[in-house]
Amino acid sequence: MKTIIIFSTKYGSVEKAALKLRTELQGEVELVNVKTSPDFDDFDVVVLAGSIYAGRVQGAMRKFIKNNLVKLREKKIALYICAGTEKENEITKYLQDSFTQELYDKAIAKANLGFEYDLKRFSFIEKLLVRLVGGIKESKSVFYDDKIKEFAELLNNI
């Protein structure tokens, strides 16, 4: 099985989760930033991944999905996000708002695999927002190894 993980990330958390996921997946696995306009024709499984920023994944991922929806319909799809919440209703909303209802419904696996707040890299406004909205006062990195393994298992059992 050939799998491609196409990701968008602002500060690198999604790529870190992709690297962890790759170690759990069987077969050939390629990681590609969505900004490179990846070709996924030769892959059996397409994993779309993004970090949540202002309620959705980055615009580059949303544009990629819009431009490739016809081809994505033909693939086995999995979706993950990196978001600073463990509330299932929020995770579901972020996934649906970020990846279209059609891809959400089609996805073999869907999950929030973790999050990271590296406040040294945030702008003043971003620091203020995560402090006011999320109560985050210091840098924090959390990846859910159990969810990464469960996600990989779903893909490995296709």
Side-chain angles (χ1 to χ4, degrees):
M1 177 173 71
K2 288 178 67 175
T3 302
I4 186 169
I5 301 172
I6 302 171
F7 65 89
S8 64
T9 188
K10 185 164 175 126
Y11 293 112
S13 62
V14 179
E15 185 173 13
K16 287 179 183 178
L19 290 167
K20 290 175 177 284
L21 179 60
R22 178 169 61 185
T23 66
E24 301 292 333
L25 290 171
Q26 298 168 355
E28 184 181 331
V29 181
E30 188 172 324
L31 277 60
V32 183
N33 192 310
V34 73
K35 291 179 182 178
T36 66
S37 301
D39 178 10
F40 56 92
D41 287 342
D42 294 334
F43 292 88
D44 305 304
V45 177
V46 177
V47 178
L48 301 172
S51 56
I52 298 302
Y53 189 79
R56 299 190 299 179
V57 295
Q58 289 78 12
M61 178 59 76
R62 294 191 313 272
K63 183 178 178 183
F64 175 81
I65 290 168
K66 182 179 177 185
N67 292 341
N68 293 281
L69 190 55
V70 171
K71 286 175 35 176
L72 288 168
R73 287 179 179 139
E74 300 169 4
K75 299 292 181 176
K76 293 178 177 96
I77 300 291
L79 309 171
Y80 80 80
I81 56 173
C82 287
T85 184
E86 292 186 40
K87 297 177 182 173
E88 286 302 321
N89 63 327
E90 290 179 4
I91 294 167
T92 298
K93 181 166 177 25
Y94 291 151
L95 285 162
Q96 289 173 326
D97 290 351
S98 296
F99 297 108
T100 78
Q101 190 65 44
E102 180 179 3
L103 290 180
Y104 179 85
D105 291 339
K106 177 180 175 48
I108 297 159
K110 304 173 271 247
N112 175 22
L113 299 184
F115 65 93
E116 193 167 55
Y117 295 113
D118 185 355
L119 299 183
K120 292 178 285 198
R121 298 177 72 190
F122 283 23
S123 71
F124 173 77
I125 297 296
E126 290 168 330
K127 287 178 192 175
L128 185 62
L129 283 173
V130 296
R131 178 172 281 201
L132 292 175
V133 175
I136 306 298
K137 297 177 183 161
E138 57 188 39
S139 294
K140 188 174 187 180
S141 180
V142 177
F143 291 96
Y144 306 119
D145 292 333
D146 57 333
K147 289 185 181 182
I148 292 169
K149 286 179 183 177
E150 288 172 22
F151 192 91
E153 189 175 315
L154 288 169
L155 298 181
N156 290 334
N157 290 328
I158 293 175

